[in-house]
Structures are given as structure tokens and as C-alpha cells.
Amino acid sequence: MPYAPQKMDRQAVARLLGRFGQWLPRHGAGSPQDHLGEGVKEPERTQEHCLPNFAGGQHFFEYLLVVSLKKKHSGPDYEPTITYQFPKRENLLRGQQEEEERLLGAIPLFCFPDGNEWAPLTEYPRETFSFVLTNVDGSRKIGYCRRLLPAGRGPRLPEVYCIISCIGCFGLFSKILDEVEKRHQISVAVIYPFMQGLREAAFPAPGKTVTLKSFIPDSGTEFISLTRPLDSHLEHVDFSSLLHCLSFEQILQIFASAVLERRIIFLAEGLSTLSQCIHAAAALLYPFSWAHTYIPVVPESLLDTVCCPTPFMVGVQMRFREKVMESPMEEVLLVDLCEGTFLMSVGDEKHILPPKLQDDILDSLGHKIKELQTSEQINEHVSGPFVQFFVKTVGHYASYIKREANGQGHFQERAFYKALPSKANRRFVKKFVKTQLFSLFIQEAEKSKNPPAGYFQKKILEYEEQKKQKKSKEKTVK
């Protein structure tokens, strides 16, 4: 059942989040907890990547939905309602049916997070954004949304195409939304064969392509190719919006706040900007995962989330700026993406990270940035220095996991941070090891007999090899 905006206390927010699951970043790892009053806990489950690194072979999606605005029976307001659903599931068991009803009941709120006061429009810029829902059992679903005016003449209300999937691959799903939009302009009936073909196709492995054959009236048969990036650890993010809105120094301060699991609020006009920037900020934490409240675009009825005293990373539309500013918030970093400024901050953001490593990140970010052309190049350029930061500070973690005969590991925390030669690095790591970010990561490492063979491990090995070569050269010079 869709919601009308209303003033809610913390317990009400908690009940609402508890009813439909919690909205959190799932770039892979985590044992997220809902910290809004009556918390909802998930079972612990940690992986190297923020969104799971899907090997391929899974289904692309669970649902395609069209969410439209329908006039309420009383008053001038509208409420978002699902007007198209594919596939329609029948013969579900009672428990499955209840789960589906909860999921489908929550989705309209996130497709129209900006409230119910709408009027028919003749022009409306299309917006592509996403949201993440994590249920109390730990299962996670991502909503990929395209909001635009439907085909027609005269004033009309926007609607949202929403694809629900458990797979994190934003660029690829944006292309699928392009195809859905193109078919919907012709007829809803034309969407079905395309989505059915997509549903029957296996999700490709990194670097691989799946080709779909689709017939469109008056256009004939089309072949649509969907390709995953070879390096899949960044396929869920696009850093371009973050770079457009903020300076390197500001991005570094946001990263520092996130590393210490503080409260961060992003403000922007557009849903696309909010969604892309908050996903990008969370992706900077790779190989760690934000394990607290995470809502890329906070619906109006959940604005009291910003009063939560525990860590969160949320996006709020600029129209609600005054409500946010008037809310009783504890220490928070409030980021205005429109003006590229911090409206509120704790004050120590520039001093959280070791000075030498901060300089290294800023130097790397500024190096040849204007020469980059593709989104893949930009993503790798921005992510690289932050990955390198974690390589230099905690990349030696595997050497400080002591294993029993049965393979179970025990992390030697004190010896781990004492092994760092730099005092500034030691000071930072002493704080970082106490965060949930690090705890969840190290719990998984303790269970695994070998370090995960992912991108982070590759960078650790490269760094260790560089150190060996440097030592070897120094010995030769002597």
C-alpha cells in the first residue's frame, strides 16, 4: 500500500523500515543493522565487493513495473500505484505471496520519493536513478528507475519504469531501460516479448556479451547486445556526477567521514544526481562496505531518518532542505551538491586521514584527469587512489590472521597496526579497525583459508612486488 507523506517520529520510521526491510548499500559485504530505534538486524554475510561480484548465469531481473500517479479519492493529491507488472506470479505459497506484497507495496514510495503534490505537465526531464532494499533476512534487491512523461499530447503526469533485480550493474540496466522506454512508446504489448527474452537469457560473466533478438512493429527485427565490463568491481557506479559537483578535496573529506562511519547527507535537485553521487561515495570504500542505513533518495515520509543518532548515508532532494536543516541532528556532514559546498560539518574532516596519504590521493586524482574520455577510464582513475590508500594502510591484514588446525583464523589486531612504520598511519588504523567496515571484512577473512582472488588482492600483490623491487634497487646502490 503506498504511503501519504506524514510527520513521523523515530519509532514510526523504524516500524516502517522494519515492515519493508531496510534500504542499505549492498556493494557486497555486510551485516547491516537498522539503527532507527527498533532496529532490524541482518545475519552476518561478508564478501570482498560492495555489490556481489556476479560470475554470470543468473537471471537479469525479477520484475518490470510501471508506477503511475493516481488521483486520491479525496483531496488534490496523487499516490503512486503499480499499473503494470511483468511477470505476474501465480500459485504462490502464502509466505511467498506475503513477501511479494511487502516488496511491491514498498516500491512506489521509492519511485516517487518527492511526495504526492503533483500537477499534469507538458515538459519533464527524464531521470534515471536507483534504490536498494535489503530485507530482514538479508536478501537484497535493487530498483533501477527511469522517470519521464509518457507518450501523448497535452499536460500529463510522469510515470516510472522500474526494474527489480538482485544484480548490481547500473550501466547495463540503464541500457535495458532505454529499450523498455522505446517499446513502451509504441505499446505496452511490445514490452512483453523483449522482457521475456531478457528473462530467459543468462546474465553474462565479466567481459562477456549477451545478444537478444527482438521484433518491433514497423522497424523489424533488432539485435540488442548487452556487455558487462571486464573489470566488474566498478560496474555498479559512475563517478562523473560526483566529480562535476565537488572538488577532489571535498570528495576526500566525504571519504574520510565515511571511513569513520559518520552521518552523511547529500542534497541535490535531481534524483539522478543524488542516486549517482551517493552510490559513488559508497563505492570509494571498496573493498569495504557501508554497513549502516543507506537510502540514495529519502522519501518525504522518511525524512526523520536524518535525526537518527547512528551512522547513515542518505540523499535528500533540495526541496526538503529547510526541513533537514531544522531537524535535531547530531554531528553530521551535510553536502550541497548543487552549490558544491558543505552546509554542516564536524570540523575535523581534513585531519582524519594521514597527511602523506591524503596528498598521495589528491596528486593521483589530479594527474591527467582532463585526458580521460570514457566513464570506465574516469571510474578507474577515481577509484584507484582510494584502493591504493587501503592497500598501504591495511593491505598486510592476511599476514596477521593466525590459523588453527581446522583453518579458522584469529586476527591479531594489536600486532597488525603496530606493524605499520608510520606513526600517522598507525594512529588512523587504530581507529579504523574498530569500525564495522573493517570488522565485517576481517570476519570473512578469518573464515577463508586464502585471501579472495579479487581486484583488491591483485593490488596488494602489485604493491608488495613494488616494495621488493625498491629494496632490491637500494641494496644495489649501496
Side-chain angles (χ1 to χ4, degrees):
M1 184 177 76
Y3 304 102
Q6 53 185 314
K7 183 67 177 172
M8 303 170 74
D9 60 22
R10 287 189 200 174
Q11 282 70 35
V13 174
R15 286 194 294 274
L16 186 57
L17 290 175
R19 182 181 169 195
F20 289 117
Q22 186 185 359
W23 294 269
L24 298 164
R26 282 276 65 90
H27 311 306
S31 162
Q33 296 180 21
D34 179 359
H35 295 282
L36 295 172
E38 302 163 7
V40 180
K41 294 187 179 180
E42 290 184 2
E44 291 180 2
R45 54 190 183 97
T46 314
Q47 297 171 13
E48 186 190 357
H49 298 286
C50 294
L51 282 172
N53 184 16
F54 295 97
Q58 302 193 40
H59 290 299
F60 270 85
F61 71 99
E62 291 188 25
Y63 297 98
L64 167 67
L65 307 168
V66 177
V67 179
S68 307
L69 290 165
K70 297 296 181 185
K71 198 79 177 276
K72 286 187 173 182
H73 295 302
S74 60
D77 290 350
Y78 294 84
E79 63 181 4
T81 305
I82 294 172
T83 53
Y84 177 85
Q85 175 187 333
F86 173 80
K88 288 274 190 183
R89 300 182 189 276
E90 297 176 352
N91 303 318
L92 293 175
L93 298 174
R94 184 177 175 181
Q96 293 173 322
Q97 189 172 351
E98 289 174 353
E99 182 183 349
E100 182 183 70
E101 287 173 359
R102 283 196 298 272
L103 173 66
L104 297 182
I107 288 167
L109 178 71
F110 287 86
C111 291
F112 286 91
D114 23 18
N116 296 346
E117 295 178 7
W118 287 89
L121 306 162
T122 54
E123 291 184 5
Y124 183 82
R126 77 151 64 153
E127 295 192 278
T128 303
F129 59 99
S130 60
F131 58 84
V132 183
L133 298 101
T134 303
N135 211 343
V136 290
D137 65 354
S139 59
R140 175 192 48 77
K141 301 181 193 301
I142 304 168
Y144 298 95
C145 301
R146 172 74 52 80
R147 193 159 85 176
L148 73 173
L149 284 184
R153 293 182 179 179
R156 52 208 187 276
L157 293 162
E159 61 185 14
V160 175
Y161 309 134
C162 179
I163 297 173
I164 301 297
S165 175
C166 66
I167 294 168
C169 195
F170 293 89
L172 192 143
F173 277 97
S174 182
K175 188 172 181 180
I176 293 171
L177 284 167
D178 290 342
E179 298 297 331
V180 170
E181 180 184 338
K182 183 165 67 175
R183 284 157 178 76
H184 196 252
Q185 304 292 356
I186 303 168
S187 166
V188 173
V190 185
I191 298 174
Y192 173 80
F194 169 70
M195 294 306 288
Q196 183 61 36
L198 186 66
R199 189 164 173 75
E200 291 169 0
F203 188 68
K208 301 297 182 183
T209 299
V210 63
T211 302
L212 302 176
K213 187 177 176 181
S214 178
F215 178 79
I216 298 181
D218 300 327
S219 298
T221 300
E222 286 188 358
F223 291 92
I224 300 142
S225 295
L226 301 170
T227 304
R228 283 183 74 188
L230 186 60
D231 185 357
S232 61
H233 89 279
L234 288 175
E235 65 185 341
H236 61 279
V237 70
D238 183 347
F239 286 108
S240 301
S241 286
L242 197 64
L243 291 177
H244 177 73
C245 295
L246 301 170
S247 68
F248 294 145
E249 289 79 4
Q250 289 170 320
I251 292 170
L252 189 60
Q253 289 178 57
I254 291 168
F255 170 74
S257 296
V259 161
L260 290 191
E261 299 180 323
R262 292 182 171 180
R263 291 170 284 281
I264 307 171
I265 303 170
F266 294 89
L267 289 169
E269 294 284 358
L271 300 177
S272 300
T273 300
L274 270 181
S275 176
Q276 288 175 18
C277 286
I278 196 168
H279 283 306
L284 293 176
L285 297 171
Y286 172 87
F288 305 95
S289 174
W290 183 262
H292 302 280
T293 300
Y294 176 88
I295 313 178
V297 184
V298 177
E300 183 182 16
S301 57
L302 293 180
L303 280 177
D304 279 1
T305 302
V306 302
C307 302
C308 179
T310 46
F312 58 73
M313 193 184 295
V314 300
V316 176
Q317 287 181 283
M318 191 58 77
R319 67 175 69 188
F320 304 127
R321 172 182 158 163
E322 293 310 314
K323 284 187 181 180
V324 170
M325 297 289 284
E326 291 168 4
S327 299
M329 296 181 291
E330 298 186 20
E331 293 181 338
V332 67
L333 181 63
L334 182 57
V335 184
D336 184 337
L337 294 169
C338 297
E339 298 297 326
T341 58
F342 293 161
L343 300 179
M344 296 174 69
S345 65
V346 177
D348 66 346
E349 287 83 359
K350 291 181 180 179
H351 309 291
I352 292 171
L353 307 178
K356 171 70 169 64
L357 297 185
Q358 284 199 75
D359 292 342
D360 289 348
I361 292 173
L362 292 173
D363 289 345
S364 297
L365 288 174
H367 184 62
K368 296 184 178 179
I369 183 71
K370 292 179 181 177
E371 297 177 17
L372 306 175
Q373 295 178 338
T374 67
S375 61
E376 287 81 8
Q377 288 174 333
I378 292 169
N379 284 352
E380 185 59 41
H381 181 84
V382 175
S383 172
F386 294 95
V387 174
Q388 203 62 24
F389 170 85
F390 286 125
V391 167
K392 291 175 181 176
T393 52
V394 299
H396 57 301
Y397 74 93
S399 301
Y400 292 88
I401 297 177
K402 190 176 179 182
R403 300 204 173 273
E404 297 175 2
N406 62 3
Q408 176 62 42
H410 298 283
F411 181 57
Q412 311 296 302
E413 182 182 303
R414 186 176 171 81
F416 167 71
Y417 64 71
K418 279 203 156 193
L420 291 164
S422 162
K423 224 182 234 187
N425 290 5
R426 274 202 307 273
R427 209 176 302 124
F428 165 76
V429 171
K430 252 178 124 171
K431 293 179 183 176
F432 183 57
V433 294
K434 302 300 182 185
T435 64
Q436 200 170 355
L437 284 171
F438 187 80
S439 296
L440 295 173
F441 179 87
I442 214 68
Q443 283 170 21
E444 187 65 18
E446 286 173 329
K447 294 174 195 170
S448 175
K449 291 183 181 179
N450 299 303
Y455 182 80
F456 186 54
Q457 185 61 23
K458 176 186 167 189
K459 290 299 175 184
I460 290 172
L461 295 175
E462 286 176 5
Y463 180 64
E464 287 175 350
E465 185 59 33
Q466 288 168 6
K467 284 201 299 184
K468 282 180 187 174
Q469 289 177 5
K470 189 179 176 183
K471 279 185 180 178
S472 180
K473 282 181 183 177
E474 287 172 353
K475 283 182 181 178
T476 304
V477 172
K478 287 178 182 179

